[in-house]
């Protein structure tokens, strides 16, 4: 079994999902009381949140590259940045370390391609929905990516930073997200990417008009598969 290194705390609320899913998949595969060989480097979320809102992405890259290097030095054989937004610096981390970095958009893209979907909606932070780094990586898998209208994007973004990363779950926000997803479905989306790992704390497929694609879960499952590959 390969050792998985998680760059987490982005936020810790969703890093919990990674740890749980990875260990569940390993136990399902190996049976008994097996669990994953794993390491977690969890950053102070306020530090990195302040950096991205100030547009200081080079400092984010330096911080996460340092975390990745520490994990690799401690024996990690594959790395994950446990975030969609912070995958913006995934390539920089990958260039700086000697082990593979599994990109969250590739895990999501592989699932969408396997389902044969041609057009999907994307929910996430404003950075993820509006900047090209994530949508272009997804589009390379061969499908169209659409985002909500501007005022809806602002609502999705606000709920993530004012509520979800702080562990606040509100029914009113779940209802608002469900309506936004219904609007994406009406515009032809065949599925919706929950493209912020914290969104999975708020909403699931039972709440949505179209299939929900949970990015954290898919990323974690890809990591477990990589760790267990012959």
């Amino acid at each position: 079994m390969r050792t998985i290194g998680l760059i987490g705390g982005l936020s810790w609320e969703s890093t919990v999902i990674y740890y749980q899913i990875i260990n569940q998949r390993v136990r399902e595969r190996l049976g008994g009381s097996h669990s994953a060989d794993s390491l977690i480097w969890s950053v102070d979320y306020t530090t990195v949140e302040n950096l991205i809102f100030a547009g200081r992405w080079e400092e984010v890259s330096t911080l996460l590259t340092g975390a990745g290097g520490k994990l690799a030095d401690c024996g990690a054989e594959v790395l994950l940045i446990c975030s969609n937004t912070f995958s913006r610096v995934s390539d920089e981390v990958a260039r700086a370390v000697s082990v593979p970095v599994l990109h969250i958009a590739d895990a999501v893209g592989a699932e969408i391609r396997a389902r044969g979907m041609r057009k999907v909606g994307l929910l996430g932070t404003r950075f993820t929905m509006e900047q090209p780094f994530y949508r272009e990586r997804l589009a390379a898998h061969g499908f169209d990516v659409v985002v909500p209208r501007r005022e809806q994007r602002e609502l999705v973004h606000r709920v993530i930073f004012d509520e979800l990363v702080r562990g606040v779950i509100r029914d009113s926000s779940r209802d608002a997200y469900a309506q936004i997803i219904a609007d994406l479905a009406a515009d032809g989306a065949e599925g919706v990417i929950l493209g912020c790992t914290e969104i999975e704390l708020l909403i699931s497929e039972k709440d949505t008009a179209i299939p929900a694609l949970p990015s954290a879960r898919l990323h974690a499952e890809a990591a477990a598969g990589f760790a267990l590959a012959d």
Side-chain angles (χ1 to χ4, degrees), residues 115 117 191-192 194 203-214:
R115 294 193 188 202
M117 294 178 177
V192 61
L194 306 184
I203 202 162
S204 66
E205 196 160 284
K206 66 182 176 58
D207 305 305
T208 61
I210 48 179
L213 300 148

Side-chain angles (χ1 to χ4, degrees), residues 15 31 36 48 93 111 162 184 199 226:
T15 304
V48 290
V93 174
E111 176 68 14
D162 291 353
L184 289 169
I199 294 176
F226 186 95

Side-chain angles (χ1 to χ4, degrees), residues 186-229:
D187 289 338
E190 300 168 80
V192 61
I193 300 166
L194 306 184
C196 173
T197 51
E198 287 81 17
I199 294 176
E200 292 163 58
L201 302 169
L202 176 69
I203 202 162
S204 66
E205 196 160 284
K206 66 182 176 58
D207 305 305
T208 61
I210 48 179
L213 300 148
S215 58
R217 177 176 293 270
L218 293 170
H219 201 197
E221 290 176 346
F226 186 95
L228 294 170

